[in-house]
Amino acid sequence: MQVQVDVPDARGRFGPFGGRFVPETLTFALDQLAQEYAKAKADPEFQKELEELLRHYVGRPSPLYHAQRLSRQLGGAQIWLKREDLNHTGAHKINNTLGQALLTVRMGKRRVIAETGAGQHGVATATACARFGLECVIYMGEEDMRRQRPNVFNMQLLGAEVRPVKSGSRTLRDAINEALRDWMSSVETTHYILGSVVGPHPFPMIVRDFQSVIGRETIRQCQEQLGRLPDVVVACVGGGSNAAGMFYPLIPHPQVRLIGVEAGGRGTAPGEHAAPLSFGSPGVLHGSYSYVMQDEDGQTCPVHSVSAGLDYPGVGPEHSYWKQTGRVHYTHCSDQEALEAFDLLARTEGILPALESAHALAQAAKLAPTLSPKEVIVVCLSGRGDKDAHEVARLRGQQW
Amino acid sequence: MSAVDEVFAALKRRGGRALVPFITAGDPDLEFTAQVLQVLDRSGASVIELGVPYSDPIADGPVIQSSYTRALQRGVKLAQILDLLRHIQPKLSAPVVLMVSYAIVYRRGLEEFVHQAQAAGAAGAIVPDLLIEESEPLRRICTQADFSLVQLVTPTTAADRALRIAQASMGFLYYVSVTGITGERDQLPQQLREQLGRLRQLSPVPVCVGFGISRPEQVRQLAPVADGVIVGSAIVRRVAQVQQRPAEEVLQEVGGFVKSLAEALQGS
């Protein structure tokens, strides 16, 4: 099946995936968002405002950095890092939240809600809301509040209210449920800044578009710094926003191998990982049709990852489409491999990666020795790891 | 004509209104659900909504959410719910419609789901996360099987869209009274009566109203402007008391409550 870039269609479908499976109450707001986004996209003023914010507020373009000591140690392909960790707020999430905050203002809404897993999207949303003077409520699972404590304080310092979610597994999936329930009641005055390429149409498209700045810059920087495109590009996939933003501009360049890395957790048995593209099946979750970890009745299964940002049973519909078309290869790395990659990057390059991004690094570390030193792997270093220092110490049984 | 159509046709002939109570299947277990279904049937239910527990119900408030969680923690499966229905349906005079997420319907397979549900005695289904744009494949199967696929209209639905949804709805049209999730409300929206009146004029099928309704006086207010009234959380909350109180007592309270709603509906 030939991969298309002119997706989704008017109904939000990427091939068979995507669409809109939500209560009727939300239709009005999703239509409103789709219309406003179409207008904004065609409005040079909007594009200019967003570009200026990305440049002077976020600090874009983020560098493309040749990790020479890491490459030498691994022995093989040259590893280059797309440094999304150097963005304001320490991850790629801000690319999307600023765009959606601008849309919120255009729609005349004053209140914003969002979900967060690792807290990076929560912090980026709280930041954008502070910047635009919007009221901000963040839903976060209690388990994630525990393991990503520094980000909880950061959100509060930025003026956001963090609401603990106690239902279900008390992680990202439940935070999305709770944010959607809030939106069911507040839809007329509130915008939901969804943080990944998941959810009902038009969210997967909007978030991908706002994140595509990552891939566009990478292409330009590769041409400037390498004189050519890379051989391989690797990104981690939870919901899949940094991977979608990195991959989308590269889809029409078939010579570039694209690899998405899911959370392999502790093993391949159900409940031990968070890798729906590797082990799941197509189904409906959080308003869209995509790969999901589900039981024989369609109930969502528990998942596990050491990384709160990847600890999610679903994945963006466009990733399902890229899997189906074969354009992107999806694989998984374990908790242990991610933790080892975390250490490796810290000690060879002096960079603490987010545990999410460490999954992509782990895959690159496996791949590099199998390639020649002339080949180039770009890894999307989607976020910084300061937020994880505490949890990494706890996992090692160290006091902090 | 499905069994739901027949109920509304009969009500229309005598100028009556439908009482549509909702309960969760398997909360706290399927044996108790069987007893509650019979109590609802005896106490004046016209149509019964049987909720199939779902792991991620975004349209539901805390009462129904936690009933779903309890049922799923006990490991209730769709096949067991359909078995229960097969066993109990012949003893009920009110038809049963399933309230079921599209995640579950899709997983089973659209055709398999409709045929299995129908074989078990269900007269229709409400799929709250299936919008009109996505509902065509399931609707085609339901039309062929004469299985009522009930669609929903909400206060945020534009008028032209409401008309399209009403025209596609089978059995009845479900009007969601509030912009929000399920759960009891002290006050229903001011404009609710006008909205219902308008919707009833354009809808080719009867219009039932639900979400937030929990008291006989609310039922009395709405009866003149609706073809039926749906009550969920107020019943589920009472059923849940069986965890702390004797089953007989709970069944009696549920029966008494539903009777009071039925009387309010008749008396208005």
Side-chain angles (χ1 to χ4, degrees):
Chain A
M1 193 173 142
Q2 184 67 37
V3 65
Q4 305 289 324
V5 287
D6 188 19
V7 283
D9 65 13
R11 280 168 63 224
R13 294 286 186 154
F14 303 85
F17 300 105
R20 213 184 249 183
F21 298 91
V22 290
E24 169 65 18
T25 301
L26 298 181
T27 299
F28 146 84
L30 294 170
D31 282 345
Q32 180 190 29
L33 177 61
Q35 281 158 18
E36 195 59 52
Y37 178 64
K39 274 194 265 171
K41 213 173 154 180
D43 179 358
E45 280 302 305
F46 175 85
Q47 296 301 341
K48 191 167 157 242
E49 192 174 359
L50 182 57
E51 268 166 38
E52 301 234 319
L53 278 167
L54 290 176
R55 179 148 176 232
H56 299 294
Y57 186 70
V58 176
R60 301 204 74 93
S62 68
L64 181 68
Y65 165 72
H66 186 188
Q68 297 188 46
R69 288 196 72 229
L70 175 66
S71 306
R72 211 172 306 138
Q73 176 140 349
L74 292 169
Q78 300 306 304
I79 295 180
W80 292 66
L81 305 174
K82 179 60 176 164
R83 299 290 309 273
E84 292 298 299
D85 62 313
L86 292 177
N87 291 338
H88 180 41
T89 73
H92 69 290
K93 294 291 188 185
I94 191 90
N95 303 330
N96 168 47
T97 61
L98 286 174
Q100 287 204 48
L102 283 174
L103 292 177
T104 307
V105 173
R106 283 176 72 107
M107 289 186 289
K109 292 182 170 180
R110 303 295 311 161
R111 179 175 178 265
V112 160
I113 52 173
E115 83 297 340
T116 197
Q120 293 303 101
H121 175 59
V123 168
T125 303
T127 299
C129 288
R131 171 65 182 70
F132 288 98
L134 301 166
E135 186 190 339
C136 180
V137 174
I138 305 291
Y139 289 92
M140 187 170 189
E142 271 194 334
E143 166 62 10
D144 291 340
M145 288 179 75
R146 182 194 66 71
R147 56 182 170 171
Q148 305 279 254
R149 195 99 202 117
N151 274 340
V152 177
F153 291 123
N154 290 345
M155 287 183 265
Q156 289 165 342
L157 289 172
L158 291 161
E161 181 195 338
V162 183
R163 292 196 187 156
V165 177
K166 302 174 204 294
S167 56
S169 55
R170 297 171 294 126
T171 58
L172 179 55
R173 160 191 158 201
D174 310 284
I176 296 178
N177 284 338
E178 220 41 55
L180 284 167
R181 284 182 195 122
D182 180 312
W183 210 28
M184 287 281 291
S185 308
S186 62
V187 65
E188 284 152 312
T189 56
T190 297
H191 177 56
Y192 178 14
I193 298 190
L194 194 48
S196 194
V197 288
V198 301
H201 177 66
F203 281 115
M205 170 183 76
I206 290 180
V207 178
R208 174 201 70 193
D209 288 353
F210 285 143
Q211 291 296 357
S212 289
V213 67
I214 303 173
R216 287 197 305 271
E217 281 178 10
T218 300
I219 290 175
R220 200 177 64 229
Q221 288 165 326
C222 283
Q223 274 152 355
E224 284 166 9
Q225 294 173 247
L226 298 161
R228 65 178 181 96
L229 289 179
D231 300 286
V232 184
V233 174
V234 187
C236 66
V237 179
S241 68
N242 86 85
M246 175 59 101
F247 294 164
Y248 183 65
L250 287 160
I251 294 291
H253 301 278
Q255 71 275 30
V256 182
R257 271 169 71 195
L258 304 174
I259 302 177
V261 186
E262 295 193 295
R266 297 175 291 231
T268 57
E272 296 296 303
H273 57 79
L277 290 166
S278 305
F279 302 110
S281 52
V284 173
L285 175 66
H286 290 149
S288 95
Y289 173 60
S290 190
Y291 275 78
V292 61
M293 293 309 305
Q294 58 183 338
D295 73 6
E296 72 276 15
D297 272 2
Q299 311 286 357
T300 312
C301 292
V303 290
H304 161 81
S305 171
V306 68
S307 138
L310 303 184
D311 197 355
Y312 181 63
V315 67
E318 195 160 15
H319 287 292
S320 293
Y321 172 64
W322 289 336
K323 173 188 164 75
Q324 190 192 48
T325 56
R327 178 63 187 92
V328 180
H329 173 67
Y330 294 92
T331 181
H332 49 91
C333 285
S334 69
D335 286 352
Q336 189 53 41
E337 289 167 329
L339 288 164
E340 284 164 14
F342 180 92
D343 282 344
L344 181 65
L345 192 69
R347 292 178 188 198
T348 54
E349 296 289 348
I351 298 170
L352 289 182
L355 282 178
E356 291 76 18
S357 325
H359 284 72
L361 279 166
Q363 182 59 31
K366 279 194 245 181
L367 188 63
T370 69
L371 302 177
S372 92
K374 286 186 183 152
E375 290 181 281
V376 169
I377 302 175
V378 170
V379 177
C380 187
L381 197 69
S382 56
R384 56 190 292 161
D386 309 48
K387 68 181 178 67
D388 295 309
H390 197 270
E391 181 67 359
V392 168
R394 189 189 71 83
L395 289 167
R396 291 185 181 148
Q398 288 166 359
Q399 290 290 321
W400 199 58
Chain B
M1 252 174 123
S2 83
V4 179
D5 297 324
E6 282 166 21
V7 165
F8 282 99
L11 282 168
K12 194 173 182 182
R13 282 196 292 277
R14 54 185 175 82
R17 300 283 186 264
L19 178 62
V20 186
F22 167 96
I23 58 160
T24 296
D27 176 30
D29 55 51
L30 288 166
E31 292 70 39
F32 196 63
T33 301
Q35 294 182 51
V36 178
L37 284 171
Q38 293 176 80
V39 166
L40 296 177
D41 193 55
R42 279 200 301 272
S43 309
S46 321
V47 174
I48 300 172
E49 266 182 42
L50 185 61
V52 178
Y54 176 50
S55 53
D56 299 82
I58 59 173
D60 283 305
V63 170
I64 292 178
Q65 257 180 64
S66 49
S67 77
Y68 280 3
T69 304
R70 281 191 299 271
L72 290 173
Q73 272 167 356
R74 290 256 188 147
V76 73
K77 294 283 176 194
L78 178 61
Q80 297 171 314
I81 294 170
L82 295 180
D83 275 346
L84 159 86
L85 192 57
R86 191 173 298 116
H87 164 77
I88 202 78
Q89 194 269 339
K91 300 181 190 167
L92 306 175
S93 57
V96 174
V97 298
L98 299 171
M99 171 69 85
V100 56
S101 169
Y102 190 65
I104 296 170
V105 176
Y106 179 83
R107 181 66 162 161
R108 183 55 49 119
L110 307 188
E111 228 156 308
E112 290 84 340
F113 177 84
V114 171
H115 293 150
Q116 289 174 10
Q118 197 164 39
I126 306 168
V127 187
D129 46 3
L130 187 63
L131 298 176
I132 181 93
E133 291 81 4
E134 299 283 357
S135 70
E136 216 266 313
L138 183 62
R139 198 162 66 238
R140 211 172 34 229
I141 294 164
C142 290
T143 306
Q144 240 163 33
D146 197 15
F147 184 79
S148 298
L149 180 63
V150 176
Q151 312 246 356
L152 300 93
V153 165
T154 74
T156 59
T157 309
D160 54 334
R161 185 177 167 84
L163 177 61
R164 274 195 295 137
I165 296 173
Q167 284 166 345
S169 196
M170 303 160 67
F172 62 92
L173 178 65
Y174 192 136
Y175 185 70
V176 176
S177 68
V178 297
T179 303
I181 53 180
T182 60
E184 302 170 49
R185 309 283 203 283
D186 284 334
Q187 291 255 300
L188 293 172
Q190 294 276 320
Q191 329 82 313
L192 179 56
R193 287 167 56 99
E194 290 84 49
Q195 285 165 340
L196 266 169
R198 274 200 301 276
L199 193 59
R200 252 177 115 203
Q201 281 184 346
L202 61 86
S203 175
V205 287
V207 179
C208 295
V209 57
F211 276 45
I213 303 164
S214 61
R215 292 200 299 265
E217 57 269 31
Q218 294 172 321
V219 169
R220 217 167 282 130
Q221 280 171 19
L222 292 171
V225 288
D227 299 295
V229 175
I230 303 161
V231 180
S233 296
I235 297 171
V236 173
R237 177 168 61 81
R238 285 173 169 83
V239 171
Q241 291 175 3
V242 75
Q243 296 170 109
Q244 295 93 30
R245 291 172 52 194
E248 258 327 294
E249 225 177 276
V250 171
L251 289 171
Q252 219 164 41
E253 189 185 327
V254 169
F257 174 65
V258 173
K259 259 187 206 132
S260 74
L261 299 173
E263 279 157 16
L265 205 56
Q266 251 105 62
S268 44

